[in-house]
Amino acid sequence: TRWRRFGNERGRNDMQGCSCGRRIPVPPDGLRFRCAACDRIHDPRDRGFFTGQDKVAQREDWQVEGTDLPVEEHAVDWRFEPGDLERIGWGFIPRSMEDKWFIYRYGDDLFFHRSWTGAFCSRARLEGNRIRSVAIPTGCSDPEGSLRRTRWLIDFILIGREVPYPG
């Protein structure tokens, strides 16, 4: 899969090619980063040259639905470092059928949608360096599972950490 790590003993290459033609160093933390020349967003887990996400994700970038559904708010206390918050704000635009999520930030809210259907799955509220609540559509059959999945999407997809899927 495209998420498999590769390269040196730390599991990644030290340099990555951008579609703008620039070779860019992978940051020491091995997490998502932006090309200084063209602002494309890269993930070191991608192989070799990668076109990158061209821009920060916005609602208009994908066909989405259901953001006005009734929701149940769930209190959480998830804290993040400043670099993590920047990466979270970039969102995620799917590039292939295997990328099952579209994630974007609108104001202080982070929206999670399935990429194939555009269906709304959750909304996380950012407050400073924390997420204090996650909204899940009313009637969800497994709200705890949805909370775990939302946290995994933030850590794995948006920030770029290697964390196991919450199963």
Side-chain angles (χ1 to χ4, degrees):
T1 70
R2 65 175 213 132
W3 297 109
R4 188 177 59 123
R5 289 237 182 227
F6 63 99
N8 62 24
E9 69 282 352
R10 294 187 67 197
R12 60 172 170 53
N13 284 340
D14 292 329
M15 298 289 286
Q16 188 163 358
C18 182
S19 61
C20 71
R22 188 169 188 187
R23 296 287 292 165
I24 42 182
V26 174
D29 61 12
L31 304 178
R32 291 174 77 201
F33 61 97
R34 290 180 93 163
C35 174
C38 68
D39 275 341
R40 281 189 176 88
I41 300 165
H42 293 272
D43 190 323
R45 297 173 290 192
D46 288 313
R47 298 183 158 251
F49 278 85
F50 165 60
T51 57
Q53 181 175 314
D54 290 336
K55 61 184 189 128
V56 171
Q58 298 177 15
R59 182 172 198 239
E60 299 79 30
D61 295 329
W62 210 256
Q63 184 81 23
V64 297
E65 58 184 47
T67 54
D68 56 351
L69 291 173
V71 295
E72 296 174 5
E73 295 282 340
H74 298 267
V76 297
D77 190 17
W78 301 338
R79 298 168 193 254
F80 300 96
E81 298 295 322
D84 294 345
L85 292 171
E86 180 181 2
R87 290 175 179 104
I88 288 168
W90 298 340
F92 182 77
I93 301 171
R95 298 181 306 270
S96 70
M97 292 296 281
E98 291 80 23
D99 297 336
K100 297 180 172 125
W101 296 96
F102 171 62
I103 306 166
Y104 67 96
R105 182 175 181 177
Y106 184 77
D108 290 334
D109 292 327
L110 196 58
F111 290 88
F112 298 81
H113 292 266
R114 296 300 292 200
S115 64
W116 292 11
T117 63
F120 170 70
C121 293
S122 62
R123 181 191 73 228
R125 174 78 32 98
L126 291 160
E127 294 180 19
N129 69 336
R130 298 176 180 177
I131 291 178
R132 296 273 192 174
S133 67
V134 175
I136 297 170
T138 302
C140 174
S141 62
D142 183 13
E144 290 303 315
S146 292
L147 289 173
R148 288 190 304 272
R149 182 178 57 233
T150 299
R151 179 59 196 243
W152 178 81
L153 289 166
I154 292 168
D155 287 336
F156 188 76
I157 302 288
L158 296 180
I159 296 172
R161 290 192 183 104
E162 286 294 326
V163 293
Y165 187 75

